[in-house]
Amino acid sequence: MENYFTENFEVQAKNSSEDALQRWRKLCWLVKNRKRRFRFTANLSKRFEAEAIRRSNQEKLRVAVLVSKAALQFIQGLSLSSDYIVPQEVKQAGFQICAEELGSIVEGHDVKKLKIHDGVEGIAEKLCTTITKGISTSEIDRRKQVYGVNKFTETPPKGFWFFVWEAVQDTTLMILGFCAFVSLLVGIVMEGWPKGAHDGLGIVASILLVVFVTATSDYRQSLQFRDLDKEKKKIVVQVTRNGLRQKLSIYDLLPGDIVHLSIGDQVPADGLFMSGYSLLINESSLTGESEPVNVNASNPFLLSGTKVQNGSCKMLVTTVGMRTQWGKLMATLSEGGDDETPLQVKLNGVATVIGKIGLFFAVVTFAVLVQGLFTRKLEEGTQWIWSGDEAMEMLEFFAIAVTIVVVAVPEGLPLAVTLSLAFAMKKMMNDKALVRHLAACETMGSATTICSDKTGTLTTNHMTVVKTCICGEIKEVNGSEKFGSSIPESVRKLLLESIFNNTGGDVVVNEAKKVEILGTPTETALLELGLLLGGDFQEERGKSKIVKVEPFNSTKKRMGVVLELPEGGFRAHCKGASEIALAACDKFLNSNGDVVPLDEASTKLLQDTIENFASEALRTLCLAYSDIGSGFSESVDIPFQGYTCIAIVGIKDPVRPGVKESVAVCRSAGIVVRMVTGDNLTTAKAIARECGILTDDGLAIEGPEFREKSDEELQQLIPKLQVMARSSPMDKHTLVKTLRTTFQEVVAVTGDGTNDAPALHEADIGLAMGIAGTEVAKESADVIILDDNFSTIVTVGKWGRSVYVNIQKFVQFQLTVNVVALVVNFTSACLTGAPVGRKGNFISNVMWRNIMGQSLYQFVVIWYLQTQGKEAFRLDGPDSDLILNTLIFNSFVFCQVFNEISSREMEKVNVFDGILKNYVFVAVLSCTAIFQIIIVEFLGTFASTTPLTWQQWFVSIAFGFLGMPIAAILKMVPVGST
């Protein structure tokens, strides 16, 4: 059986093959309600549609690019005319170009049309916007009316009655509904109203109860998923509007807005490149092409949904929402759904196998009952004469068989996984963790290793420059203006030129007329230092022209910029990892501010300074410059040699409160925490010790040394590895892959940059940072840590484990009910002709022990009552069978009530611990007991029950309660590994 489940119901937590997804679907043919059972599984047909759209886009854009290149060869220098006429409603709104024309320019890469409209500047003018101020908020409503909003068509939310209708489509309920109709019809004809309607109305009432309970559960679940979907779509971008740079939701963007894009961002709408540097766009999400596209003034077209792979730019938004190809693609993709989780598939398999067993028992039961009736009629010689009562008896036999299928097929098992995961996802959302893929909830519970970043995850990501080494002198940065007074003026100017030009940040005046620094925490810390030195960001930017920018990335670990100086010539500025940038220097500035060669003594001084800063857990950066003459070309890379060291800065990034305790919790839970950082080895070791990650017998290593190791050496090294410093994204990817494949670890890995995407994708659980993380990293992740806090990752692990345990508890309870109900209904139907009342690997040794023990006990109870009940309770007279059936029914229900309590703990004997704190659990138990009393005492006519004496009630409850000590004894029985 285990091999059967492994071969047919085994899928990966992520990136499962289409064959695996198709295979288990084909095997699940015995399903009572397909729409409900497969609601939270991937819609493979919709995925195929989305892939077809991608292929169509790829061909369209390929043709558009070829046409635009050909058009460029003919339109240069030509006088072009246009027959485009501005629609009247667009003119009346104050604009000179319509949405359709804008869409055709960008989507079609139409260089000719762009030239006709006087290029990007002409489009901006016709959209009534400027690159410096953007659009005005006073005209937002008019823009929305003319150009639409940046929202995609979504499937309207499903109301409660939709789920009622879906629940009604259960095949077995429909069959029982037909039986109820026939029962009503025959009963009224034979016995009149209302007596003849009692049986039929009882069945109808049961069906309605099941339908409304099911619909309520499903509706509440859909609301939870809707809230989570809203959180997933919260993406903000930097926009210039009303002359102010501000953060806006991508759904508030309008044509004419000026959007600031940088590495890792997702292009939020179709638009045109206005200005920028080294911009590479990855269009694979839209076209399937993996080769990045170079976007610049000659190829200015930017498409919604694509990703910034390198560089930065300002973009003019031209087309939004469903007018973009991305909008049309998203409408299809949203219907494709997420892959089903491994637990969902396994429990679908369990439900299918049990369903087939139940179907077999149902067919045998029906055959036995019919054979009994025919035998009796043959003995009486009336086989050719059939009365209405005998027709009703046949109908009842059929209803019994259907009832056995109803109680046998645990349709709720796969949905219980989804319900439990949805609950956990909601709770994790409250704990600052946004789950993007359901399977991550399951997988995180099995994590054995966490590979964590340092900056922003283990530390607060609130950075400040606390120490500097300028002109060979180490200075404390105390926040006062006196700090810069001893620095030579020439050096101060160079330092300000480097800080304010070689940056991805910005200094702006916000709506409150206060200075605000925008950018990463590292950039912010350096810009604060520049302001402290008395610099003016805009003034410094205006002194020289930026010719080329090479943005920071985690592979090179540096950023460079080339300036065209006002007096002529070019100057390159570089900043980055201290030892890397310092290695490119052959000169430095002495105490007088003069440029002098970097000899052995001064090199040792700077290296010792870097080491001292790092030992104090400071992040160190080196700032340097190089005059490169007048022969620089924008098409060549920025040179990386012959630099002059301006300064070494030490940036403080304190460890987050509670991290040390969280690391200790992980270790006690059997989870190994490893730090993987791009920082200096000494800094990384200092922080790791402070966090409790690096132990006395642990190993710390640098990325360059790690990547030189052979496979055999890695097998010896990785078990002891606790810190990897100066690591590249590929080092992280190699570590994760080796841990998963060679050591069979379940790996969770954090990431925030674009280059972290391969490692996030490779890991069992990819954790992206919500604050510092790029959109590329978030899209590759399974969980987004909204507060960038390591303690939140530990919380995700706790919830992951609780999901597994909760589902095991539910499966134990559910399968006990199903097994007992199946056997009891089958045996009672075959013995008495009437049912009792009218109502993979994952299954561990512990669960199997509990299920079989409880099932056996309950079966013994029911069997005893069936065979010895009349003598034990001295039942005689015409109502003795009805009383006995009611007693059996009541005992069965209370066995399940107390079994539900026993199932609160898989292995612990004390199941009452904290029970009163779980209000939902107490409410469900109370409602079950109250409803059972009502059914037995007051609804006997409809439910085929009769009121019981207090002694009989006591015995029924006692039989149920006795299951608890038996369950406790079973839990003490040792079992093999699970």
Side-chain angles (χ1 to χ4, degrees), residues 838-857:
R838 295 202 180 186
K839 312 273 182 179
N841 248 8
F842 175 73
I843 302 179
S844 64
N845 293 342
V846 173
M847 283 175 60
W848 188 247
R849 175 198 64 192
N850 295 346
I851 289 168
M852 294 312 296
Q854 278 292 309
S855 300
L856 183 61
Y857 165 72

Side-chain angles (χ1 to χ4, degrees), residues 132 238-240 243-247 260 314 500 505-519 527 531 536-538:
T132 54
Q238 295 276 351
V239 178
T240 295
L244 300 170
R245 186 161 164 178
Q246 53 197 281
K247 291 181 180 179
H260 301 255
K314 288 183 181 180
F500 288 141
D506 202 352
V507 180
V508 299
V509 178
N510 61 22
E511 293 182 55
K513 306 300 180 185
K514 292 184 178 178
V515 173
E516 183 179 358
I517 301 174
L518 304 174
L527 290 171
L531 296 176
D536 183 298
F537 182 83
Q538 300 301 338

Side-chain angles (χ1 to χ4, degrees), residues 160-182:
F160 175 73
W161 293 106
F162 170 87
F163 293 102
V164 171
W165 170 246
E166 195 175 72
V168 168
Q169 294 177 59
D170 188 307
T171 307
T172 51
L173 291 184
M174 288 192 281
I175 294 171
L176 289 176
F178 172 74
C179 294
F181 173 75
V182 174

Side-chain angles (χ1 to χ4, degrees), residues 362-427:
V363 172
V364 171
T365 302
F366 184 69
V368 169
L369 293 174
V370 171
Q371 186 264 341
L373 176 61
F374 268 91
T375 302
R376 190 178 75 238
K377 288 185 70 64
L378 283 170
E379 289 172 355
E380 296 171 354
T382 59
Q383 66 270 26
W384 304 111
I385 302 169
W386 289 81
S387 65
D389 285 340
E390 287 167 338
M392 283 296 294
E393 198 172 350
M394 283 287 288
L395 181 67
E396 188 168 346
F397 292 163
F398 182 67
I400 290 169
V402 173
T403 302
I404 289 176
V405 174
V406 170
V407 299
V409 179
E411 192 85 343
L413 278 184
L415 293 170
V417 179
T418 313
L419 192 63
S420 183
L421 293 174
F423 177 77
M425 287 170 73
K426 187 72 175 175
K427 290 292 185 181

Side-chain angles (χ1 to χ4, degrees), residues 686-750:
I687 295 288
R689 285 197 182 93
E690 192 175 344
C691 296
I693 293 173
L694 185 60
T695 59
D696 294 338
D697 58 347
L699 182 66
I701 193 173
E702 287 192 325
E705 183 183 350
F706 174 82
R707 69 184 76 118
E708 294 298 323
K709 299 290 184 183
S710 65
D711 291 342
E712 292 76 18
E713 289 174 317
L714 287 178
Q715 288 190 26
Q716 299 296 320
L717 179 147
I718 286 179
K720 298 178 182 178
L721 181 64
Q722 293 176 339
V723 176
M724 191 194 297
R726 287 293 182 234
S727 66
S728 71
M730 285 314 298
D731 294 332
K732 185 187 286 189
H733 181 269
T734 303
L735 174 62
V736 171
K737 189 173 183 179
T738 306
L739 283 167
R740 289 186 68 235
T741 55
T742 305
F743 295 94
Q744 302 300 309
E745 301 269 5
V746 179
V747 184
V749 64
T750 68

Side-chain angles (χ1 to χ4, degrees), residues 812-824:
Q812 175 183 312
F813 171 73
Q814 178 75 50
L815 290 188
T816 303
V817 174
N818 285 113
V819 169
V820 174
L822 172 63
V823 175
V824 167

